Amino acid sequence: MKKVLSAIQPTGDLHLGNYFGAVQNWVKLQDNYDCKYGVVDYHCMTMPYKASALRENTWKMVFQLLACGVKVENVFVQSFVPEHVELSWVLSCVCSYGELSRMTQFKDKTDQLKDKDKDALVSSGLFLYPVLQAADILIYHADYVPVGKDQEQHLELSRNIAQRFNTQFEKEYFVHPEPLFTEIPKLLSLADPNKKMSKSLGEKHYVNLFAEEDRIRKQVKSAVTDTGEGQIGMSPGVKNLFELLVACNEKTIHDQLMQDFHNGALKYSALKEAVGEALVQLISPFRDNLKALEENKKQIKEQVKDSSSNIRKVAQQTMKEVREITGLLSLK
Ligand code: TRP
């Protein structure tokens, strides 16, 4: 079976964008691949944060992934496998400063930090973030990495690092991981459909995957449809609602309402009703699953520690081989 590795940062609640853009696909891949999915807490340390929030968010992300259908044996918490950091150091030594300086995500994030506060800390960890990501992938010899297009450059770097390591140590050791790009529906903010749906915009702008039914319906009901005067064709807000129907796999109702639109007979209230219903149908099982998981909190945490320990064995084996290949001494 081919190996799949992906990871997500524990930054708080999952939202619809995460689900359609990643998690839904992760769940499907489990049928045909040997999958490992990391909750990457080390990556979260690259920006200023609070220890208590990290602790809470890491478990939260684990539970939410499980509630969406990720299998517990496929999940691990990154820092339960400290070999990621060990490999990351080795890889940083075959990755040039110049390469890392060209990473667009690093440039964007440092600009943001500088804008916010001139003295804000641009950590070396943030600079090295893509090397840690390469270690996440290479340590499991992953063949495929499901990611969004925004990670293309990081994936390319992972391949370059693998190549450089193999060349330097004259051994075809690391696999060259290929991205599996996920088609991400371009969801827009419900409150301001001129912007992308994103958590950073604030609560009104995104749909929390574990929100109560009422809240979801209300959020959809108050979605902005007409953004201004002189609109030609379909407004971005209406287009976004149709996009949501597609994402939820509601083709029949989507086509009906689209026909209404072309006949000039579309009632926004009907469209919103349909979207609200589709989202509630999609999300309710996840919320129920999450409640059930939380009733067994202790036991589930133990299971995740066990799966992390099992996954760690693979990482330890890799590090044993890497020590050998790179000339580090072995204790045994
Ligand atoms: N950088 C990724 C993101 O922000 C998260 C990530 C960390 C990742 N390590 C990874 C994704 C390894 C895929 C594989 O989305």
Side-chain angles (χ1 to χ4, degrees), residues 5-9 26 38 40 43 78 105 109 129-130 132-137 145-148 150-151 154-155 158:
L5 179 289
S6 199
I8 189 164
Q9 290 195 45
W26 288 12
V40 289
H43 276 95
Q78 186 188 31
Q105 202 173 68
K109 284 209 175 162
Y129 175 114
L132 181 58
Q133 181 165 352
D136 297 339
I137 298 167
V145 185
V147 281
D150 64 318
Q151 294 299 311
H154 287 163
L155 253 289
S158 301

